[in-house]
Amino acid sequence: LLDRFSIASKSNEEPRRFCDAMDARLTRVASVLGVVGAVLVLAIGFLPFAFAMGALATAYHVLGGIQKAKKEHEKETNVYGRNGPVQATKKQSEQETDEGSQDDIHQQVNQRKNAPVSPKEEGTVPEKPLTGSAAILARLKQQRAQSRTNAEEKNETSGTEASKASGKQVHVLHGGEAAAEVARDLVDEASRKGYDAKAVPMDDFKALKLEEKNSICLFVVETVENAMPAEAAGTCVRYFNRKRKQGEAGLLQGKLHYAVVALGDTNLLLDRQTTTAKDCNQAGQALDTALHYLGAARICNRCEANDAVGFEEALVPWLSNMWKELESVYKSNERVEKKMLLGPELLILYGSQTGNSAEIAKNIGAECTEKGVRNQVMEMQEAGNPTDVWKPDTVTLVVVSSTGDGDPPDNCATFYSRLRRRSNPPDMLRGVKFAVLGLGDQNYTDFMAVPRTFHRRLEDLGGEAFLPRMEIDEVEGIEQQLEEWTERFWPALEKTLSKNAFDVEVKSAVNGEETLPMEDKKSFENLERVPPCPVVRVLIEDAEMPLLDIDPNEDEVHLHYQVPVQECILLTDAASDRRVLHLDVDVSNTSLASSFSPGDSIGVLPCNDHQLVDELLERLQFDPNRVFRITPASDAEKNKQLLPHIKTPCSVRKCFLEYLDITSVPRKSFLRLLAEFCTDDNDKYSLLELCSRNGRELYNQQIQKSEPGLLGILEKYKSCAPSLESLVDALPPLLPRMYSVTNSPLRTPNNIQVAFSVVQYVSEGGFLRRGVATNWLDSNFGPGKASDSHSLSIFLKGGGHFRLPEDVTAPLIMIGPGTGVAPFRGFLQHRAEQAKKEQKQPGEMWLFYGCRRRNEDYLYGSEFESMHDDGIVKLVVAFSREQEHKVYVQDRMLEHQKALYDLICKRGAHIFVCGDGAKMAKDVHACMEKILCEGGMSPADASSKLSALTKEGKYIRDIWS
């Protein structure tokens, strides 16, 4: 054995690994002999006992000889280590420093490395290809030697100074011989990437003062025999593990970002009966767990490398991801530092249902950062109470829209209701200076109700407007109106902040100058008015999955109910390209029974397509099973509940399935963010061009009309690799979908019924577009799939003004093509039951309904015809494609214009319109104006009449784009 060790020590094999393996085997042999000897001594006497003791003694001497040889070898090669140079121990370093300078040591090392091998030695052991850790360590040694040569040729000193000047400092702590090799390679690679990297023995970890100042560290930890940490790593591992056991959670929070490389070898464990293969990385696992418990933030999941199969198998792919995540950490820190500028703060709050208000708010916030104005951007649901964020001397901008019939968006509903409380003191917001930017769609009844209420309440409670309220009508186009407003907003804001807020190198896009970072100007000089890059507000930290799963359907705005699906039937012809389903849910065991009304809607929170999510995560190279939590990237937001729609801890896959909208058309601010993660200049240029002013038409063609989702964008721009934190912060939330109730509680009190079209089409860009909620409902609850075991989470939302008048005799005019007819089925059922109950003749009711063909998509046709025959309603149907020329509901209305004029002007009829808002609602509105004009009104009077009916609540529209 000693001869073999002597040979191994002169070759490229691993002497220590050989000895460790022999140590394990001989110990086991000695143990077996001892046990056998003990049995024999009991059975036949003293002689076997003596033999057993002799065997043990022999084994002891052999092992002692190996240990002695190992120590001699280590002493001889204290500079080289296993297969290349390693750091000497502290004691050895001191001795070597006393004997000569470090240059002398390197000279001795080089002479020894370059010394020729004698023919005798060459013949003793033939060269063999290296495997396992020998191969990777030898390669690391060669790479370092080559990098040193290249560095000398290119002036290594200047490169080092450049890395230091970058300020991106990384400490690589190592414990163990193989760990030292890997650490040195990490330092070399980090230096080439522009980091100021230093290798530090783990014994010296206290010198870094990790508990006192912000640090970024990579820990390379080796596990040796008996699943113990290498001697050089033991002190550090035990220290932090002790802190964990003492319960010092938060000790490192906000101070340390880290990653762990755990090295081990199952060959040193498999012969042990008390350990498993998993224990070969136990030291790294223990350190990782302790640091995470103490509040340190993981850069990425730890790497667990096994020498038995080769370190490189796990280490190489891990490094590729780690460098990307490390750069993301630094970018987040840089943005936070850039954001934390001196001067007053602008607080930007937004309430957004479709994403337009959020887009505007984020763009203004990013431009404030470019101008040097410290700011915070958050949705109102993140802000909490008005008094939590609106303190005296606060300067705030409110960007908010109205939805439906003057309702607030879901992500500001709670904040809005708290602001409207009558109990609020009149001076609650004294000292607050504000501006309100409102968005709305004139097709809706009270399309500016929410922005006007915000402005009025802010003034009533003591706030002072520093800019008149701006109301942007989405029908007339957002961009032009927004540009006109921003030209007034920036000077007013600068005056309000009482400082030269914009005296920075990167000027405002409003003035027509570039907003790109200075280093990008030369490369992208022909791009005009590129928006500033949004700030990523969050960090991602690894976490443990909670014992009790968090219900993704719980929120502060709606009360959710888990209800069984009783029935789901197809309403359209199976051969039609339109697929409309009727869904019936049982609410008998909930408080919804008998409490809903016609005109109400139910909300359904869907899941994204599983296959799409899997393909997206594979493209992003995200671990779908990684469990994470979200923390603020800056102290300014540490007390805010950022991204409340994401319930963490959760897995990455769950997040992309249930919380994030990955299919909507990307907005410009999101494309601007993606550009920052492109490594190819052509990809980055293309994305920046789409965001720029001169790329407006390009954006319209390639994005708005082509309709690529996130995966479509990433497949086109191959070098784009966004980080997880950037996506969870920038992607819009997956919103609930609303469906109108199509039945009456007076007829079916224990059931709620809805109808919906399953959306699926190919966009102009060739992308298959599938409605998230309708396809999810169809695949899970469609015909033949619903059963008692299937349940659906829903919530109820009131219809607002879109409800029947209390007077059962009031006449009604209902206009609803396609699935827009669904709520009117409930209206008619309810009126019929009311009339029976009150024993009154119901008021005259007209239903104008449009569809393609009687035998294709005549939804609830037989039921409506039965009501018509019973005298409940006058049914007028426009079958648009049953004749050569198309006929629509407005055409059929003109056929009955005299009756409609009398109902509207003489009998006080209530008018309800439901369906498509892009074209149908406008055409119907124009048709009613024409009917009034045909009755004798002037165009101005006709328009005024419809406006008056709207204010009186007699002309109500429930429409969608």
Side-chain angles (χ1 to χ4, degrees):
L1 291 174
L2 293 179
D3 285 343
R4 286 191 61 185
F5 176 75
S6 177
I7 293 170
S9 67
K10 296 175 183 177
S11 71
N12 282 326
E13 294 181 32
E14 295 176 76
R16 183 163 188 171
R17 180 180 170 187
F18 168 75
C19 291
D20 290 341
M22 294 307 300
D23 181 12
R25 290 168 184 161
L26 289 171
T27 302
R28 186 173 180 182
V29 170
S31 299
V32 171
L33 290 175
V35 172
V36 172
V39 172
L40 291 175
V41 76
L42 293 175
I44 59 174
F46 179 77
L47 186 60
F49 175 76
F51 173 76
M53 295 305 297
L56 287 173
T58 302
Y60 175 79
H61 285 295
V62 171
L63 292 175
I66 290 176
Q67 293 297 328
K68 182 178 180 183
K70 284 166 61 177
K71 290 178 180 178
E72 291 296 326
H73 180 72
E74 288 172 356
K75 183 177 180 182
E76 238 177 63
T77 59
N78 56 11
V79 178
Y80 281 95
R82 291 164 72 176
N83 282 284
V86 299
Q87 279 201 344
T89 62
K90 208 169 186 180
K91 184 175 180 181
Q92 290 168 338
S93 297
E94 292 171 358
Q95 291 173 352
E96 289 168 347
T97 304
D98 291 339
E99 292 173 3
S101 67
Q102 199 68 23
D103 291 337
D104 294 335
I105 295 173
H106 282 300
Q107 187 176 359
Q108 294 170 20
V109 171
N110 290 330
Q111 289 173 356
R112 184 168 180 178
K113 283 195 296 181
N114 298 325
V117 181
S118 68
K120 182 178 179 181
E121 292 175 334
E122 286 181 351
T124 304
V125 180
E127 273 195 39
K128 296 180 181 179
L130 302 181
T131 59
S133 63
I136 190 171
L137 297 180
R139 184 165 65 254
L140 299 182
K141 173 183 173 183
Q142 184 179 4
Q143 289 172 352
R144 280 196 301 276
Q146 183 63 41
S147 66
R148 281 196 296 269
T149 303
N150 294 338
E152 290 170 2
E153 292 174 356
K154 296 179 181 179
N155 193 338
E156 186 177 13
T157 304
S158 62
T160 304
E161 290 175 354
S163 295
K164 291 181 178 179
S166 71
K168 296 160 68 172
Q169 192 173 57
V170 177
H171 293 105
V172 185
L173 290 87
H174 56 86
E177 292 182 7
E181 295 290 343
V182 174
R184 284 178 178 163
D185 187 61
L186 289 177
V187 169
D188 289 344
E189 182 68 17
S191 298
R192 287 193 293 271
K193 291 180 178 293
Y195 294 95
D196 178 13
K198 296 179 181 177
V200 180
M202 288 181 69
D203 282 342
D204 297 336
F205 76 98
K206 289 187 177 180
L208 299 179
K209 299 181 179 179
L210 301 180
E211 300 165 27
E212 300 177 14
K213 57 184 182 181
N214 295 336
S215 303
I216 294 182
C217 297
L218 308 178
F219 292 86
V220 188
V221 190
E222 189 172 355
T223 302
V224 293
E225 297 89 345
N226 295 320
M228 297 296 292
E231 184 178 352
T235 303
C236 179
V237 173
R238 286 189 291 270
Y239 175 83
F240 287 115
N241 207 32
R242 185 166 59 252
K243 292 290 185 181
R244 178 185 67 81
K245 291 179 179 179
Q246 292 170 354
E248 297 190 32
L251 177 70
L252 301 174
Q253 188 166 3
K255 301 182 181 71
L256 176 64
H257 282 79
Y258 76 98
V260 171
V261 179
L263 305 179
D265 185 349
T266 52
N267 286 328
L268 303 181
L269 299 172
L270 293 179
D271 287 335
R272 314 287 188 181
Q273 297 180 358
T274 58
T275 56
T276 65
K278 186 178 179 181
D279 294 322
C280 79
N281 298 116
Q282 186 165 303
Q285 294 166 3
L287 179 63
D288 185 29
T289 301
L291 293 174
H292 187 60
Y293 174 84
L294 297 174
R298 288 189 182 109
I299 298 170
C300 60
N301 286 341
R302 69 175 171 266
C303 171
E304 294 188 356
N306 184 357
D307 196 8
V309 296
F311 288 151
E312 65 268 30
E313 183 171 313
L315 190 57
V316 172
W318 181 85
L319 284 173
S320 176
N321 179 62
M322 189 277 294
W323 292 125
K324 180 178 71 173
E325 296 293 339
L326 180 61
E327 186 62 24
S328 175
V329 169
Y330 268 109
K331 281 187 177 181
S332 297
N333 289 344
E334 288 169 0
R335 288 171 184 153
V336 170
E337 289 171 5
K338 188 175 184 181
K339 184 176 175 181
M340 304 304 293
L341 303 172
L342 296 176
E345 179 182 52
L346 174 65
L347 176 63
I348 305 173
L349 299 180
Y350 66 86
S352 180
Q353 192 72 21
T354 62
N356 289 329
S357 296
E359 174 79 354
I360 292 171
K362 291 176 181 179
N363 283 340
I364 292 174
E367 192 163 344
C368 282
T369 302
E370 294 289 340
K371 292 172 178 294
V373 178
R374 189 164 58 97
N375 66 91
Q376 279 186 279
V377 182
M378 64 178 67
E379 64 179 42
M380 295 183 198
Q381 190 173 341
E382 297 174 341
N385 290 307
T387 51
D388 292 339
V389 290
W390 285 336
K391 306 291 185 182
D393 298 326
T394 298
V395 180
T396 188
L397 169 65
V398 176
V399 186
V400 67
S401 62
S402 286
T403 67
D405 194 19
D407 299 322
D410 286 343
N411 65 356
C412 81
T414 302
F415 190 91
Y416 179 71
S417 64
R418 289 169 178 168
L419 182 66
R420 296 180 65 194
R421 287 174 181 167
R422 294 183 179 179
S423 59
N424 290 332
D427 60 347
M428 184 177 83
L429 301 180
R430 180 174 295 173
V432 174
K433 295 183 179 180
F434 71 92
V436 174
L437 176 62
L439 281 79
D441 184 335
Q442 63 177 320
N443 287 313
Y444 290 90
T445 306
D446 292 329
F447 78 107
M448 282 295 165
V450 175
R452 290 169 184 170
T453 300
F454 264 101
H455 192 280
R456 184 181 66 253
R457 290 300 290 161
L458 279 162
E459 281 190 332
D460 292 346
L461 298 176
E464 177 187 353
F466 69 85
L467 187 68
R469 181 179 69 253
M470 176 64 180
E471 297 181 352
I472 295 179
D473 184 356
E474 296 178 17
V475 174
E476 297 178 2
I478 294 177
E479 288 197 15
Q480 183 62 37
Q481 298 174 80
L482 183 61
E483 286 185 8
E484 293 174 0
W485 175 80
T486 52
E487 289 178 356
R488 302 191 299 272
F489 171 75
W490 293 119
L493 178 64
E494 185 173 9
K495 182 179 179 181
T496 302
L497 296 178
S498 302
K499 76 186 196 73
N500 191 11
F502 313 138
D503 192 16
V504 293
E505 292 186 20
V506 182
K507 302 297 181 180
S508 167
V510 174
N511 298 325
E513 299 187 38
E514 297 171 334
T515 59
L516 285 171
M518 297 298 291
E519 63 270 17
D520 288 343
K521 286 189 174 183
K522 189 173 181 180
S523 302
F524 306 106
E525 57 186 6
N526 60 327
L527 296 177
E528 297 179 7
R529 296 173 68 170
V530 175
C533 184
V535 174
V536 179
R537 305 173 301 154
V538 299
L539 297 175
I540 297 297
E541 295 183 355
D542 288 339
E544 301 294 332
M545 187 64 78
L547 295 177
L548 295 176
D549 195 14
I550 300 172
D551 185 358
N553 298 311
E554 291 300 322
D555 60 55
E556 297 180 0
V557 181
H558 306 294
L559 179 61
H560 291 255
Y561 300 88
Q562 202 74 23
V563 295
V565 174
Q566 185 166 304
E567 183 183 44
C568 186
I569 60 174
L570 181 65
L571 295 179
T572 51
D573 184 75
S576 174
D577 61 350
R578 288 189 175 181
R579 183 174 174 84
V580 180
L581 299 179
H582 169 88
L583 187 72
D584 188 334
V585 297
D586 182 359
V587 296
S588 57
N589 293 322
T590 72
S591 59
L592 296 178
S594 301
S595 65
F596 61 95
S597 301
D600 291 348
S601 300
I602 63 167
V604 175
L605 191 62
C607 287
N608 286 308
D609 182 75
H610 286 241
Q611 182 178 348
L612 175 63
V613 169
D614 291 341
E615 291 175 359
L616 178 61
L617 296 182
E618 183 178 357
R619 164 60 180 85
L620 291 166
Q621 295 184 346
F622 289 167
D623 178 5
N625 299 315
R626 178 186 179 187
V627 179
F628 70 93
R629 66 169 179 260
I630 294 171
T631 58
S634 70
D635 291 339
E637 293 166 329
K638 65 181 180 180
N639 295 323
K640 306 294 188 299
Q641 186 189 0
L642 298 181
L643 309 180
H645 59 282
I646 301 177
K647 314 300 181 185
T648 60
C650 72
S651 69
V652 171
R653 191 169 194 272
K654 183 181 180 73
C655 180
F656 279 81
L657 271 175
E658 299 179 1
Y659 301 138
L660 300 177
D661 183 353
I662 60 175
T663 61
S664 61
V665 175
R667 296 182 178 272
K668 288 187 176 182
S669 63
F670 184 64
L671 297 178
R672 177 65 183 89
L673 180 65
L674 291 182
E676 291 299 302
F677 293 95
C678 290
T679 56
D680 180 84
D681 285 345
N682 292 327
D683 286 350
K684 183 173 184 178
Y685 181 91
S686 297
L687 286 170
L688 291 175
E689 186 179 19
L690 289 170
C691 306
S692 66
R693 182 178 185 181
N694 50 345
R696 184 177 297 176
E697 183 58 32
L698 200 63
Y699 177 82
N700 182 51
Q701 293 293 329
Q702 294 188 8
I703 304 298
Q704 290 184 315
K705 290 184 177 180
S706 292
E707 301 182 70
L710 174 57
L711 183 60
I713 292 291
L714 294 175
E715 286 178 341
K716 182 174 182 179
Y717 302 103
K718 302 291 187 184
S719 73
C720 184
S723 64
L724 179 57
E725 48 264 78
S726 67
L727 291 179
V728 299
D729 192 33
L731 284 171
L734 184 59
L735 297 175
R737 271 48 171 185
M738 308 304 301
Y739 302 102
S740 298
V741 173
T742 188
N743 64 306
S744 166
L746 297 181
R747 182 167 295 183
T748 49
N750 294 324
N751 296 76
I752 292 181
Q753 301 165 359
V754 298
F756 58 89
S757 295
V758 180
V759 179
Q760 185 167 312
Y761 63 94
V762 178
S763 71
E764 291 185 17
F767 294 98
L768 177 61
R769 302 286 297 173
R770 304 175 76 245
V772 175
T774 56
N775 281 273
W776 178 76
L777 287 170
D778 190 10
S779 62
N780 287 277
F781 307 100
K785 297 174 183 175
S787 68
D788 293 339
S789 62
H790 284 65
S791 62
L792 179 67
S793 181
I794 66 170
F795 62 86
L796 186 70
K797 185 175 182 180
H801 296 302
F802 197 86
R803 60 178 61 253
L804 283 167
E806 293 183 6
D807 183 4
V808 72
T809 64
L812 305 179
I813 301 171
M814 297 167 284
I815 305 150
T819 53
V821 79
F824 300 137
R825 175 175 177 259
F827 277 27
L828 295 174
Q829 288 181 2
H830 204 75
R831 265 293 177 88
E833 297 298 327
Q834 271 185 323
K836 288 180 184 178
K837 184 178 181 180
E838 298 178 16
Q839 297 183 344
K840 291 182 180 180
Q841 180 66 30
E844 186 175 345
M845 294 185 288
W846 288 66
L847 175 60
F848 292 88
Y849 174 38
C851 61
R852 287 180 177 179
R853 300 176 182 87
R854 185 183 301 272
N855 61 354
E856 181 183 353
D857 57 345
Y858 190 17
L859 310 182
Y860 305 114
S862 59
E863 187 175 347
F864 289 141
E865 289 180 355
S866 178
M867 292 180 182
H868 175 79
D869 295 340
D870 293 341
I872 297 174
V873 66
K874 294 183 178 181
L875 176 66
V876 182
V877 184
F879 296 108
S880 63
R881 301 190 184 185
E882 284 195 348
Q883 56 282 317
E884 292 183 1
H885 63 284
K886 292 183 178 180
V887 177
Y888 299 108
V889 287
Q890 60 267 26
D891 299 317
R892 301 304 306 272
M893 289 170 65
L894 290 174
E895 296 174 5
H896 302 273
Q897 59 182 350
K898 186 178 184 306
L900 294 178
Y901 180 86
D902 289 342
L903 284 168
I904 295 171
C905 297
K906 298 179 181 180
R907 299 173 59 187
H910 292 250
I911 306 168
F912 295 91
V913 181
C914 183
D916 169 45
K919 192 173 189 302
M920 181 277 298
K922 297 175 185 178
D923 292 341
V924 168
H925 186 83
C927 177
M928 285 193 293
E929 285 186 336
K930 185 176 181 179
I931 289 171
L932 295 179
C933 289
E934 292 290 335
M937 290 187 182
S938 67
D941 289 342
S943 179
S944 298
K945 176 65 175 178
L946 292 178
S947 296
L949 290 174
T950 299
K951 292 179 181 178
E952 293 172 20
K954 289 188 174 183
Y955 178 25
I956 311 296
R957 293 183 288 184
D958 182 10
I959 55 179
W960 56 85
S961 299

